Amino acid sequence: MKDKSEFLVFMAFCAIIIAASIVRLSSLDEPGFTCDEITYVKAGINYILYSDFEYNVEHPPLAKYLIGLSVLVFGQTEFGARSLIAVLGTLTCVVVFFLARELYDEYTALFGSALLALSTYHIAHSRVATLDAPLTFFYTLTIFFFWKGLKDRKYLWLSGITLGLSIATKYPGVYLYIILAVYLILFERLISYKNGVISININKDLLVAMFLSVGVFILVAPFLFFQLTSAADVSVPLIAKSIYRNLRHLQAGHSNYFMGEITNAPPPWFYIVYLIYRPTIPMVILFSLGIAYALYRRSKPDILLLLWIFIPLACFSFSKVKLLHYLVPIFPPLCVLAARGGAGIISFLRSKIKRRICLLAVLILIVWQSLVVYSAHPYYLLYFNELAGGTAGGARYFTVGWGEGLREAAYYVESHTSPNDKIVSWYSHIVSFYCQREVLPFPKSLEEIRNNNVKYAIVYLNQLQRYPNNPVIRYLSNLQPEKIIYLRGIPLVWIYKIS
């Protein structure tokens, strides 16, 4: 009987991973490249082939190495750039299964990994060649090895290695130090207070793990520490330039559109609203149940997962810069807690009939989720749930569009212009990539249009949301667009013929 149960769990696990692979790897060339992908593809190739590490120095290099390697192996196409990232997104579902099994049980592990496998948000960011899916993979692996390391100290060393890989992927990896430190203080007596004396109790393996995390980061990105660059006529390590650019970006803010208003610094509840409108309704329900149940039970695994969610969420929420892809690393713990909450509520119900009704409700939510995933494929980046009013409704609350639709715009203008005709566009580097010619950045004045004898102007949805008072946009709004490009039922790109 036990062998049969294990076989069924194994088969269910295989089915989940196959499903995760299909939704992440199929139609991987849709949509066209987003604005950040072009940058990371170029950075990855520059790092590997030309050792030009000053390009996009504001982010650590590991994910860009992977993207560049993927391009060199599979070609400079959407599939070529995204394939390794999609594989890491799928592997995250695998790690979530083993993590949830360690924290709770096999059924929670199956449910949690299935939820992540079918999360439209995680799928969306596993299908683009950016940094967030790799960061999430290493985050999840670090938490898994850390939890194992509390019982078997050799796993702490592995958690140190993967923590270093997290930081080498993207700087928010440092939040793992805070997550793990708070957990150790709460449950492992990392800091103790006795007779008026505060003492720090770090065992040898934990200390080795800390040094390993730093060592791995330096090993992956040695140029940040040993390559010098000029700053204010002074030679400094590249990491100083990297940190400076990040701090300048955080101080300046980022133009955003939130709840119908344009702002450089959205309020702290920005991500809470996003978590209500962006995931599917079944996910919103299960996330809420999972967090509530974890706060009620407050077991050690519950607290670890809550720290994993709320420490990065707090850091992002009180930052001036708020971008929609920052939340990817908190989706694995959200899915595990959602599974934990569902299983916990079912176990609370003593009546068999009540349990069956509850189980049926969970199955309905999973089927609902599966249907949404199917209908949203492959344009998951544009998905908003019914509470927001779908994608069209989401555009009333948040900045929508990351460059989707500009490939089609590029092909259109390329077929309607001669090589000497001038084109201006929002995210001009995307259009330039597909046209294989110079495309001018979108101008700020009509004089630039006239002086450059521009033939076509390409306007983008998130540009209209954030910069409606641009004089060129106001001028173009009085003209009839020659072509409008729609995705998921909403207009994303307007193409205007000027001369």
Side-chain angles (χ1 to χ4, degrees):
M1 192 69 178
K2 183 181 178 182
D3 290 342
K4 183 179 179 180
S5 176
E6 289 178 352
F7 176 74
L8 291 174
V9 168
F10 174 74
M11 293 302 293
F13 169 72
C14 290
I16 290 166
I17 302 309
I18 290 170
S21 303
I22 290 172
V23 296
R24 284 163 177 78
L25 288 163
S26 62
S27 304
L28 201 54
D29 57 343
E30 293 292 342
F33 279 126
T34 61
C35 62
D36 285 358
E37 287 181 285
I38 298 287
T39 301
Y40 297 143
V41 166
K42 183 178 178 180
I45 293 172
N46 282 358
Y47 293 176
I48 295 172
L49 295 184
Y50 310 114
S51 300
D52 177 12
F53 297 114
E54 292 209 37
Y55 186 80
N56 193 238
V57 73
E58 53 265 38
H59 296 300
L62 180 55
K64 290 175 280 186
Y65 286 149
L66 296 175
I67 293 166
L69 177 63
S70 189
V71 166
L72 294 174
V73 172
F74 299 111
Q76 196 166 330
T77 63
E78 292 90 352
F79 177 84
R82 295 167 175 169
S83 52
L84 282 182
I85 304 303
V87 169
L88 288 181
T90 303
L91 290 176
T92 305
C93 301
V94 175
V95 180
V96 162
F97 171 82
F98 289 104
L99 171 63
R101 190 174 68 171
E102 286 290 325
L103 295 175
Y104 302 112
D105 54 60
E106 285 184 333
Y107 297 106
T108 302
L110 284 174
F111 192 14
S113 58
L115 289 177
L116 188 66
L118 297 176
S119 163
T120 54
Y121 185 76
H122 188 264
I123 294 169
H125 291 282
S126 298
R127 292 174 53 86
V128 288
T130 56
L131 316 182
D132 302 286
L135 174 66
T136 303
F137 171 72
F138 291 122
Y139 244 77
T140 309
L141 210 52
T142 299
I143 298 293
F144 172 69
F145 286 136
F146 170 76
W147 185 259
K148 295 270 288 184
L150 295 177
K151 302 171 187 175
D152 186 343
R153 294 296 180 180
K154 67 175 180 287
Y155 284 102
L156 283 178
W157 293 29
L158 291 174
S159 72
I161 293 171
T162 52
L163 199 162
L165 294 174
S166 298
I167 302 170
T169 301
K170 202 173 181 182
Y171 287 127
V174 299
Y175 297 150
L176 281 164
Y177 286 121
I178 306 173
I179 295 166
L180 302 183
V182 172
Y183 180 85
L184 290 170
I185 290 169
L186 291 174
F187 297 108
E188 302 294 327
R189 300 186 64 189
L190 178 65
I191 296 177
S192 60
Y193 179 81
K194 188 176 181 180
N195 298 327
V197 178
I198 298 174
S199 57
I200 299 177
N201 310 302
I202 302 181
N203 63 54
K204 181 189 71 175
D205 296 296
L206 194 58
L207 202 58
V208 170
M210 291 174 61
F211 280 110
L212 276 173
S213 66
V214 176
V216 166
F217 177 45
I218 295 173
L219 190 64
V220 172
F223 59 86
L224 286 176
F225 298 89
F226 304 115
Q227 182 174 323
L228 299 180
T229 187
S230 178
D233 297 325
V234 178
S235 292
V236 295
L238 268 181
I239 194 166
K241 185 176 182 179
S242 178
I243 293 171
Y244 169 74
R245 284 192 179 180
N246 276 279
L247 292 176
R248 187 178 63 180
H249 180 55
L250 291 173
Q251 184 180 25
H254 186 280
S255 178
N256 223 320
Y257 181 82
F258 178 57
M259 305 298 284
E261 295 184 1
I262 302 163
T263 174
N264 269 13
W269 55 87
F270 173 87
Y271 286 119
I272 301 300
V273 177
Y274 187 64
L275 285 170
I276 293 171
Y277 287 155
R278 179 59 177 81
T280 62
I281 290 178
M283 286 289 198
V284 173
I285 293 170
L286 290 169
F287 289 167
S288 303
L289 288 174
I291 290 173
Y293 188 74
L295 290 171
Y296 170 75
R297 299 289 295 184
R298 296 192 300 279
S299 68
K300 288 184 179 182
D302 294 336
I303 297 300
L304 178 61
L305 295 178
L306 288 171
L307 291 172
W308 182 358
I309 294 167
F310 286 109
I311 287 176
L313 183 60
C315 293
F316 295 141
S317 295
F318 289 97
S319 167
K320 194 172 182 180
V321 177
K322 295 180 178 68
L323 297 178
L324 301 181
H325 55 276
Y326 284 1
L327 294 186
V328 183
I330 72 170
F331 266 69
L334 278 171
C335 289
V336 174
L337 283 184
R340 158 79 160 157
I345 290 169
I346 291 172
S347 67
F348 260 138
L349 302 174
R350 298 188 178 183
S351 164
K352 286 186 178 181
I353 295 176
K354 289 181 179 179
R355 285 189 181 186
R356 287 173 181 172
I357 292 172
C358 192
L359 184 59
L360 179 62
V362 170
L363 290 174
I364 290 171
L365 290 176
I366 291 176
V367 171
W368 184 357
Q369 179 72 20
S370 302
L371 291 173
V372 171
V373 168
Y374 176 77
S375 66
H377 189 79
Y379 302 111
Y380 298 102
L381 285 169
L382 296 171
Y383 176 81
F384 282 87
N385 66 34
E386 293 82 356
L387 295 174
T391 303
R396 293 196 297 267
Y397 303 111
F398 293 95
T399 304
V400 170
W402 207 6
E404 306 95 313
L406 285 175
R407 176 182 61 185
E408 291 74 12
Y411 291 158
Y412 180 86
V413 295
E414 180 66 12
S415 65
H416 286 73
T417 57
S418 65
N420 294 325
D421 289 332
K422 301 290 181 163
I423 304 166
V424 297
S425 177
W426 190 247
Y427 295 145
S428 57
H429 61 298
I430 298 179
V431 180
S432 178
F433 174 84
Y434 287 109
C435 289
Q436 290 297 296
R437 60 193 278 190
E438 182 185 20
V439 175
L440 302 174
F442 202 88
K444 296 181 180 179
S445 68
L446 288 171
E447 286 73 20
E448 294 177 68
I449 291 279
R450 299 188 186 102
N451 292 341
N452 288 299
N453 195 24
V454 171
K455 184 170 183 178
Y456 275 100
I458 301 174
V459 178
Y460 199 63
L461 175 57
N462 77 33
Q463 177 190 15
L464 289 178
Q465 290 177 303
R466 296 185 290 165
Y467 305 103
N469 295 321
N470 178 300
V472 179
I473 290 178
R474 286 189 295 182
Y475 166 74
L476 293 175
S477 66
N478 295 314
L479 304 180
Q480 184 70 26
E482 184 172 292
K483 175 79 172 176
I484 302 175
I485 294 170
Y486 290 81
L487 287 177
R488 282 194 60 82
I490 67 165
L492 275 174
V493 188
W494 292 259
I495 302 172
Y496 293 90
K497 187 175 182 180
I498 298 177
S499 62

